[in-house]
Amino acid sequence: MTVPQDKSSIDSWMLKSFEFAEEALTNNEVPVGCILVWKDKILATGRNEVNETKNATRHAEIVAIDKVLEYCEEHSEDKTKVFSEITLYVTVEPCIMCAAALRSVGVSKVVYGCKNERFGGCGSVLNIHTDTLHQLGPSFQCVDDVMADEAVQLLKTFYKGENTNAPDGKRKIKDNNC
């Protein structure tokens, strides 16, 4: 497998993940998007689908993992081999749940934009990607801070608005008179 190592190639792949983050934002989701690259091709994409599915596990990475599993089944590919050769490009550091899922399927490399200071599983809160957790599977390498400013701007755009999917007691109502 050839994984792009130079900054322009990494930025190019990351730009594609931003397309899915922007799609999430358009659909009133936290704007996180990702792509899974295998053999220099995008094998799967994902964006947050938590609000629209009312399923808290439908983070971008989980959506993309499910697509890879479907691909492997449809094309008689060895999922263990495929995942071990995949690089994930995601706009925000994977949360603890997603980092554990990525590790359990055997993804070897994750490239992400901004840190996730509240829920990050790749160093911001926990080191799921490198901790001695053999039962989870092999550890994976992380490259952080790729287009982080752009990722933060998308998140700020989302959090300026009202989340119509939040429970009534938790919903912020924006005062447009400010």
Side-chain angles (χ1 to χ4, degrees):
M1 173 188 73
T2 306
V3 176
Q5 296 300 317
D6 63 281
K7 183 171 173 19
S8 65
S9 293
I10 290 172
D11 286 350
S12 173
W13 288 120
M14 187 60 89
L15 272 173
K16 291 298 284 180
S17 70
F18 272 91
E19 292 177 20
F20 300 97
E22 289 169 7
E23 186 179 309
L25 181 63
T26 300
N27 286 284
N28 296 315
E29 297 283 352
V30 176
V32 178
C34 70
I35 61 172
L36 286 168
V37 176
W38 182 52
K39 296 184 177 180
D40 288 329
K41 293 183 291 197
I42 296 173
L43 182 59
T45 63
R47 67 168 178 81
N48 277 1
E49 297 177 357
V50 170
N51 291 331
E52 66 189 278
T53 63
K54 307 282 190 251
N55 180 340
T57 68
R58 300 310 291 163
H59 291 196
E61 300 92 331
I62 304 298
V63 170
I65 286 170
D66 285 348
K67 290 178 182 178
V68 171
L69 291 170
E70 288 173 20
Y71 173 88
C72 289
E73 187 172 317
E74 290 171 6
H75 294 87
S76 299
E77 292 283 355
D78 176 1
K79 64 185 177 191
T80 303
K81 182 179 184 325
V82 171
F83 276 115
S84 73
E85 297 174 350
I86 277 181
T87 298
L88 168 73
Y89 294 84
V90 61
T91 57
V92 178
E93 174 186 2
C95 70
I96 295 163
M97 173 187 73
C98 290
L102 292 165
R103 190 161 169 179
S104 72
V105 296
V107 169
S108 62
K109 185 174 183 179
V110 173
V111 178
Y112 66 87
C114 66
K115 295 194 178 301
N116 182 343
E117 299 292 343
R118 291 182 68 199
F119 306 109
C122 297
S124 291
V125 176
L126 293 176
N127 294 307
I128 300 297
H129 67 302
T130 57
D131 279 348
T132 305
L133 302 165
H134 302 294
Q135 68 276 22
L136 264 184
S139 61
F140 59 85
Q141 174 190 5
C142 283
V143 176
D144 65 354
D145 201 30
V146 178
M147 300 179 67
D149 292 340
E150 292 88 339
V152 168
Q153 282 308 119
L154 270 179
L155 291 168
K156 284 181 177 179
T157 299
F158 175 78
Y159 286 111
K160 282 180 190 173
E162 177 186 348
N163 182 354
T164 56
N165 293 301
D168 288 336
K170 301 284 185 180
R171 189 176 306 149
K172 294 187 292 186
I173 307 294
K174 298 295 179 181
D175 182 0
N176 293 329
N177 295 326
C178 295

